[in-house]
Amino acid sequence: MNPASRLAQISFTAGPAALLAGWFLLRPVHGAAEPGPWWTAGHLAWLAGFAMFGVMTFAMRGLAGPVRGGRRAAVEAVTVVALFGVAANLAQLAIALHAGFAAADGGQMRALLSQARAFPGIEPVVYTPGAQLFFFAVLAMAAILAVLRRVTVVSAGITAAGVVLLGVATLQEGAGTALAAVGMAVMWLGTLLLGRGPSGGGLPATTPTRA
């Protein structure tokens, strides 16, 4: 297997695993905005996770294979949305890390984060709904791949369940709750199965990207 294919295969597990690792790393501060090693480590894990999600997005696009017409348009549109969401999350995490390094305490850190969010366009593009677009795109791509029979319905369904659990937990109680961690774990299982394709054979040796 060439390095690019190997990285693509790893991304299906590394992305969600890094999300869950970041959640655990933030437990000592209970997910609160407090500068220090736990905040930095947790957000670095999430930064690495979303970088791998970017790789996974291209890998999922490749799994769609040589389709044409409306199906190709749907795949390309969802890919663009997913990459936009990845970029928004990476920007959000970079802001959080900068605030963590620059602040002396939690109050100053929260002030820095509020200042960043106050810049025109930052709130809708980098935070909500920009950052959430990635997860909607994962749902859509999993469904498309299942319709195209590039992945199993079970793997797409488990992925969707994980994303929904994570979304519900985040909206209702915040990303630091145990339900959010359960959602991340279920999503991890789902994307692991997605990466195996319809027969468990993994990604093809060459991943077509054009019809």
Side-chain angles (χ1 to χ4, degrees), residues 19-90:
L19 280 192
L20 193 56
W23 185 90
F24 278 110
L25 286 167
L26 286 171
R27 288 313 84 216
V29 294
H30 306 289
E34 294 292 338
W38 294 114
W39 175 269
T40 300
H43 283 76
L44 283 175
W46 283 343
L47 191 75
F50 276 99
M52 293 307 294
F53 278 139
V55 176
M56 189 184 84
T57 297
F58 284 110
M60 292 176 76
R61 175 176 178 256
L63 273 175
V67 294
R68 298 180 182 277
R71 291 180 173 185
R72 171 51 60 188
V75 169
E76 298 298 340
V78 172
T79 299
V80 170
V81 172
L83 291 174
F84 179 88
V86 167
N89 277 284
L90 290 174

Side-chain angles (χ1 to χ4, degrees), residues 56-135:
M56 189 184 84
T57 297
F58 284 110
M60 292 176 76
R61 175 176 178 256
L63 273 175
V67 294
R68 298 180 182 277
R71 291 180 173 185
R72 171 51 60 188
V75 169
E76 298 298 340
V78 172
T79 299
V80 170
V81 172
L83 291 174
F84 179 88
V86 167
N89 277 284
L90 290 174
Q92 185 181 142
L93 291 165
I95 291 169
L97 285 166
H98 169 74
F101 285 121
D105 54 37
Q108 186 179 3
M109 183 175 175
R110 287 186 288 275
L112 288 172
L113 291 172
S114 295
Q115 289 173 15
R117 296 180 77 141
F119 279 100
I122 293 294
E123 181 68 32
V125 174
V126 173
Y127 288 89
T128 53
Q132 281 69 39
L133 285 176
F134 169 75
F135 297 99

Side-chain angles (χ1 to χ4, degrees), residues 8-19 52-53 56 188 191-193:
Q9 190 72 59
I10 290 171
S11 69
F12 284 92
T13 55
L19 280 192
M52 293 307 294
F53 278 139
M56 189 184 84
W188 184 4
T191 56
L192 183 152
L193 295 174

